[in-house]
């Protein structure tokens, strides 16, 4: 039988496939079990060999996910997979039979799943492979082998790119050998997180071994370069390599010679060139040589012109006039001399005797013309007198009408007197009493002893979870007075630091203030720091007394978790104790040191929790009125409305390179110098008063002196360093011991804000002890950015001014004020203003107009969310104008609104 002969030459199938039942193969039709991968072919197709429509492909196992291999053949009676030389159990095959509609041939498809465990069993041997075998009555066919591998990508790069500093137009080669992986990782390069595409920028080229080549370095190629490797399993990034493209400076062409310095005689002329062709950038070398050349010159002296003598008068002409002239020729002006001043021609009317034709028509016409001129001048004078009289009449009528209107308007002195701060007693009639006297608060003066508690409820103690809020005051009581509080700050800080929560607070008496307050409120201030806490009236519930503190933390003692490009923009300020119950928000004022443009920044308010962790509680510019925090941002100050006390700080992240921090540059030197060496210290600090105060105190202890007014520099987020240099010293008397041309402070040391101040020292050497006069130029600038220059000219032996004589005594106010003395607006007048403006008015003459006149309309929604919008507006006004506020200006605003009843209050003694 030919069919049997062909079948006998085919691949023999084992009698059992992994313990499967025996299968017989015959060209004749046979019936198979439901698990068998066999079928009989019609007689018409019995002489065809099977061929594969789909063969198994190489696969990768990702993590623990199995892969599926597929095999499809026609015509086929049976299909089985063989993996690593062993037949796969027939129960693991998934069989699907169809008929090809085009050829009517039977199609058989078989799939199997391969798991990670199956592949790992042959670990260390050959690679795991599978192959399918198809049978027909004519013979067998084998598919291609499909290799199954476990995919992975190791974490560490075998070689990472290294940072470089290269000159402009130089070739740059960055190496990268990606981590080992299966399948092999694909590599791409990024510059500042943007993918580099050599197709779009032919200046880049990626080699076959994954290295990056920059053909000609450009300034725009400065940045952080990262090698990224990825496959189907993972994506790995190398450490960033900073490529800094620098430019060496080159001289421009010389300018033309200037004019001679002397106006007359021997002098000097000069020409200059600048190091701008190109300008040195990113640490490139500056130009060598002189930028100015001088040359001697002799200037011809200028000759001012002089008049000659007048000529004789001419004969009287037919027009009854005669003339004479002179010339500017004695001498003539030359070499820039002045021209002659005055007339070079004069004319004069002739008398009737001198006029040769006195009766001629021309002379008669001249006489008539003279008479007409006189009449014209007389008419003009008459008109001017009439206009003057009319103006006087109009002014008199206007004044009379104005006096009639003034009778209906209250005297402005009454308006302003009603707003005088408490404690000022203006003269007034005996029968009328304006609210200008100090109210009698003896009924609210309370003796405080022991833990905080309600005045009327001795059992209602206010305590934290760890015990009493504050330990009892030792040996006595503390009395709340209406006025300045003069406690012992050292005793308070020592007692406060013994509490479990407050042990991390600095024991810095000079930067801490505290006071005892009740419902009348008050104010805490840390002198010369710009930090204050306003406790509005009614913020503390009636019947309670709180002992509240305010302190500024040292940044080096309290590390904030700053991520990425974040930077600290304010002092870290603590007020407490945390957890006290407040009926209204207090206002914490503190300086900041950024350009106050929220388009350039994402500024967040951070608060430290009781456990010590920092959390974001507010994104500036996106405040929600329902939250317990709200910020009013000013040019140099932030006003924080807070319903909770705690530790706060402002942290910013720049949105682009236009964002800038304000740096304050301050120069100090030694007060006394007995050696040849002389030091000048340049401090670069955040432009906040608390840092400036700290530096001033430190220099006072070192015996330093301030040698120039502080300057402010805008330091941009451009990744460029800050440079400092000193120039133009008299070489005959002084020399600098600095070996390099300038000193440099790295960008990140300034930007992260973790160090409160940085400084560089310039050591100078005078050639003789008798030299005391020092003149020089000290420059501070950011590379490719803004700069400041100090012109120094002083005597190092005479100026012995103390560093704090002018700056540390600016704020001499009490650190703690309680009751009405802490506010400019008297308490009862404040209440009547609120009752008058809180109610909505149809014409808008209510609290909304007050906010507009005070330029606070941006916060309308915040004010509207409060029970008394007017009181919150007045709280903010008090916080802004404590030192410089003019109560009369506020009275004028009230008058403009038209609320006369909100200003004039005749209050009897009983009401006070």
């Amino acid at each position: 039988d030919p069919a049997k002969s062909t079948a006998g030459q085919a691949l023999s199938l084992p009698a059992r496939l992994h313990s499967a039942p025996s299968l017989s193969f015959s060209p004749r039709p046979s019936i198979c079990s439901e698990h068998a991968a066999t079928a009989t072919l019609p007689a018409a197709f019995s002489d065809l060999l099977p061929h594969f429509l789909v063969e198994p492909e190489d696969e990768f196992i990702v993590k623990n996910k199995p892969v599926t291999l597929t095999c499809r053949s026609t015509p086929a009676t049976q299909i089985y997979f063989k993996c690593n030389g062993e037949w796969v159990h027939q129960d693991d095959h998934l069989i699907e039979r169809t008929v090809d509609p085009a050829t009517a041939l039977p199609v058989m498809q078989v799939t199997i799943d391969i798991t990670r465990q199956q592949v790992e069993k042959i670990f260390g041997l050959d690679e795991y492979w599978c192959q399918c075998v198809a049978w027909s009555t004519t013979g067998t066919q084998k598919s291609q082998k499909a290799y199954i591998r476990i995919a992975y990508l190791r974490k560490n790069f075998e070689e990472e790119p290294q940072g470089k500093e290269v000159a402009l137009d130089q070739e740059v080669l960055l190496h990268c050998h990606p981590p080992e992986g299966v399948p092999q990782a694909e590599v791409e390069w990024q510059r500042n997180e943007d993918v580099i595409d050599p197709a779009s920028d032919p200046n880049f080229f990626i080699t076959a071994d994954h290295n990056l080549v920059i053909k000609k370095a450009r300034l725009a190629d400065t940045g952080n370069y990262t090698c990224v490797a990825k496959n189907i399993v993972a994506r790995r990034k190398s450490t960033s390599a900073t490529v800094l493209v620098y430019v060496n400076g080159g001289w421009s062409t010389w300018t033309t010679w200037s004019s001679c310095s002397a106006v007359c005689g021997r002098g000097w002329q000069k020409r200059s060139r600048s190091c701008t062709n190109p300008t040195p950038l990113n640490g490139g070398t500056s130009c060598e040589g002189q930028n100015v050349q001088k040359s001697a010159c002799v200037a011809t002296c200028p000759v001012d012109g002089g008049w000659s003598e007048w000529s004789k008068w001419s004969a009287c002409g037919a027009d009854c006039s005669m003339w004479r002239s002179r010339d500017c020729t004695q001498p003539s002006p030359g070499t820039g001399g002045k021209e002659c001043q005055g007339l070079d021609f004069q004319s004069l009317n002739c008398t009737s005797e001198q006029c040769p034709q006195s009766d001629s028509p021309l002379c008669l016409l001249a006489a008539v013309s003279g008479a007409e001129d006189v009449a014209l001048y007389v008419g003009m004078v008459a008109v001017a007198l009439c206009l003057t009289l009319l103006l006087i009449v109009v002014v008199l009528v206007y004044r009379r009408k104005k006096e009639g209107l003034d009778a209906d308007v209250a005297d402005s002195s009454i308006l302003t007197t009603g707003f005088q701060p408490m404690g000022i007693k203006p003269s007034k009639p005996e029968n009328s009493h304006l609210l200008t006297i100090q109210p009698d608060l003896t009924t609210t003066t309370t003796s405080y002893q022991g833990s905080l508690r309600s005045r009327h409820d001795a059992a209602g103690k206010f305590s934290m979870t760890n015990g009493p809020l504050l330990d009892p005051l030792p040996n006595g009581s503390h009395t709340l007075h209406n006025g300045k509080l003069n406690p012992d700050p050292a005793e308070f800080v020592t007692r406060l630091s013994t509490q479990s929560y407050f042990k991390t607070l600095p024991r810095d008496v000079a930067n801490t203030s505290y006071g005892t307050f009740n419902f009348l409120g008050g104010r805490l201030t840390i002198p010369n720091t710009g930090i204050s806490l306003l406790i509005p009236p009614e913020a503390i519930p009636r019947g309670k007394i709180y002992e509240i503190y305010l302190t500024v933390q040292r940044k080096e003692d309290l590390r904030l978790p700053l991520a990425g490009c974040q930077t600290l923009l304010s002092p870290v300020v603590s007020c407490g104790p945390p957890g006290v119950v407040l009926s209204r928000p207090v206002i914490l004022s503190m300086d900041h040191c950024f350009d106050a443009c929220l388009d350039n920044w994402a500024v967040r308010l951070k608060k430290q929790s009781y456990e010590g962790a920092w959390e974001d509680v507010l994104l500036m510019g996106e405040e929600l009125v329902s939250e317990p925090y709200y910020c009013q941002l000013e040019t140099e100050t932030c006003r924080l409305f807070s319903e909770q006390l705690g530790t706060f700080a402002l942290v910013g992240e720049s949105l682009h390179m236009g964002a800038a921090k304000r740096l304050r540059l301050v120069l100090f030197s030694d007060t006394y110098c007995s050696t040849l060496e002389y030091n000048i210290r340049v401090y670069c600090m955040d432009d906040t008063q608390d840092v400036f105060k700290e530096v001033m105190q430190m220099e006072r202890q070192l015996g330093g002196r301030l040698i120039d007014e502080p300057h402010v520099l805008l330091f941009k987020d451009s990744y460029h360093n800050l440079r400092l240099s000193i120039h133009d010293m008299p070489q005959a008397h002084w020399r600098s011991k600095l070996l390099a041309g300038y000193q440099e402070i790295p960008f990140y040391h300034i930007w992260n804000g973790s160090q409160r101040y940085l400084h560089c020292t310039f050591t100078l050497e005078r050639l003789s002890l008798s030299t005391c006069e020092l003149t020089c130029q000290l420059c501070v600038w950011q590379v490719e950015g803004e700069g400041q220059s100090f012109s120094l000219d002083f005597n190092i032996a005479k100026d012995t001014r103390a560093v704090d004589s002018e700056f540390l005594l600016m704020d001499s106010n009490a650190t703690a004020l309680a009751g009405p003395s802490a506010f400019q607006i008297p308490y009862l007048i404040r209440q009547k203003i609120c009752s008058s403006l809180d109610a909505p008015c149809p014409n808008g003459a209510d609290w909304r107009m007050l906010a507009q006149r005070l330029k606070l309309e941006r916060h309308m929604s915040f004010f509207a969310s409060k029970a008394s919008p007017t009181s919150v507006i007045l709280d903010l006004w008090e916080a802004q104008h404590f030192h410089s506020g003019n109560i009369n200006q506020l009275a004028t605003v009230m008058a403009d609104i038209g609320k006369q009843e909100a200003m004039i209050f005749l209050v009897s003694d009983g009401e006070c």
Side-chain angles (χ1 to χ4, degrees), residues 319-383:
D319 58 350
C320 297
S321 66
M322 56 184 181
W323 56 271
R324 66 175 181 175
S325 65
R326 59 179 178 174
D327 298 321
C328 187
T329 57
Q330 293 185 2
S332 298
T335 62
K338 297 180 180 178
E339 296 286 342
C340 299
Q341 303 295 320
L343 299 174
D344 61 350
F345 184 84
Q346 282 184 345
S347 62
L348 189 65
N349 290 335
C350 305
T351 61
S352 57
E353 292 80 6
Q354 293 173 327
C355 186
Q357 299 178 358
S358 58
D359 295 333
S360 66
L362 187 59
C363 289
L364 292 174
L365 181 60
V368 173
S369 176
E372 289 180 352
D373 289 344
V374 173
L376 177 62
Y377 294 148
V378 171
M380 292 176 64
V381 171
V383 171

Side-chain angles (χ1 to χ4, degrees), residues 406-643:
D406 288 346
D408 299 328
V409 182
D411 185 5
S412 62
S413 64
I414 298 178
L415 305 183
T416 58
T417 303
F419 266 118
Q420 290 179 359
M422 290 186 173
I424 301 176
K425 301 181 180 180
S427 59
K428 58 184 178 180
E430 293 181 359
N431 296 328
S432 64
H433 302 280
L434 296 178
L435 187 59
T436 58
I437 63 172
Q438 185 87 9
D440 183 8
L441 299 177
T442 56
T443 57
T444 61
T445 301
T446 305
S447 178
Y448 170 62
Q449 183 176 10
S451 302
L452 297 179
R453 65 191 66 195
S454 170
R455 217 173 347 149
H456 304 298
D457 183 9
K461 295 184 179 180
F462 182 85
S463 60
M464 306 291 289
T465 56
N466 291 339
L469 195 60
L470 291 175
D471 286 342
L473 293 172
N475 302 326
S477 62
H478 187 89
T479 304
L480 173 68
H481 296 285
N482 174 30
K484 297 183 179 179
L485 297 177
N486 296 307
D488 181 7
E491 182 272 339
F492 171 75
V493 171
T494 301
R495 182 163 51 88
L496 188 66
S497 61
T498 59
Q499 306 300 313
S500 60
Y501 174 72
F502 307 112
K503 288 182 179 178
T504 59
L505 291 178
R507 302 191 182 189
D508 189 354
V509 176
N511 290 322
T512 302
S513 64
Y514 85 103
T516 308
F517 304 93
N518 65 358
F519 75 97
L520 291 175
R523 184 189 306 264
L524 290 175
T525 304
I526 302 177
N528 299 306
T529 62
I531 299 171
S532 64
L533 179 69
L534 181 75
I535 306 165
E538 307 295 338
I540 297 176
R542 289 177 178 263
K544 289 190 177 294
I545 299 175
Y546 294 153
E547 193 172 39
I548 296 178
Y549 67 86
L550 177 68
T551 184
V552 57
Q553 304 269 9
R554 292 182 180 270
K555 297 176 186 175
E556 56 266 27
D557 296 336
L558 191 65
R559 299 292 182 183
L560 270 75
L562 300 178
C565 298
Q566 289 183 339
T567 180
L568 190 61
L569 300 177
S570 75
V572 182
V573 180
S574 296
C575 56
V580 298
V581 178
L582 297 175
S583 304
R584 295 178 49 200
V586 297
I587 301 180
L588 177 63
S589 300
M590 56 184 174
D591 288 354
H592 64 76
C593 62
F594 69 105
D595 56 11
C597 180
L598 295 181
D599 293 336
N600 298 336
W601 290 89
V603 181
R604 290 175 170 83
L605 176 70
K606 285 185 174 288
K607 180 178 183 291
Q608 190 178 29
S609 66
Y610 186 83
E611 293 77 16
W614 288 90
E615 56 185 358
D616 294 339
V617 295
L618 175 67
L619 176 61
M620 201 155 308
E622 297 182 11
E623 300 93 338
L624 299 177
V625 297
S626 59
E627 297 295 329
Y629 308 97
Y630 191 89
C631 277
Q632 149 77 1
L633 183 64
E634 299 170 11
T635 304
E636 297 179 353
T637 308
C638 173
R639 316 278 180 189
L640 171 63
F641 291 83
S642 176
E643 298 176 6

Side-chain angles (χ1 to χ4, degrees), residues 3 144 147 250 261 304 313 337 398 429 445 571 590 592 598 623 634 649 670 705 708:
Q144 65 182 8
Y147 290 91
S261 61
D304 296 335
W313 286 102
Y398 174 78
T445 301
M590 56 184 174
H592 64 76
L598 295 181
E623 300 93 338
E634 299 170 11
D670 300 325
R705 62 168 173 172
D708 203 349

Side-chain angles (χ1 to χ4, degrees), residues 849-870:
M849 185 174 292
L850 177 62
Q852 292 174 355
R853 296 298 172 87
L854 297 179
K855 296 180 172 48
L856 301 174
E857 56 270 15
R858 191 178 79 84
H859 311 293
M860 286 290 194
S861 58
F862 172 70
F863 298 145
S865 67
K866 303 303 178 184
S868 175
T870 309

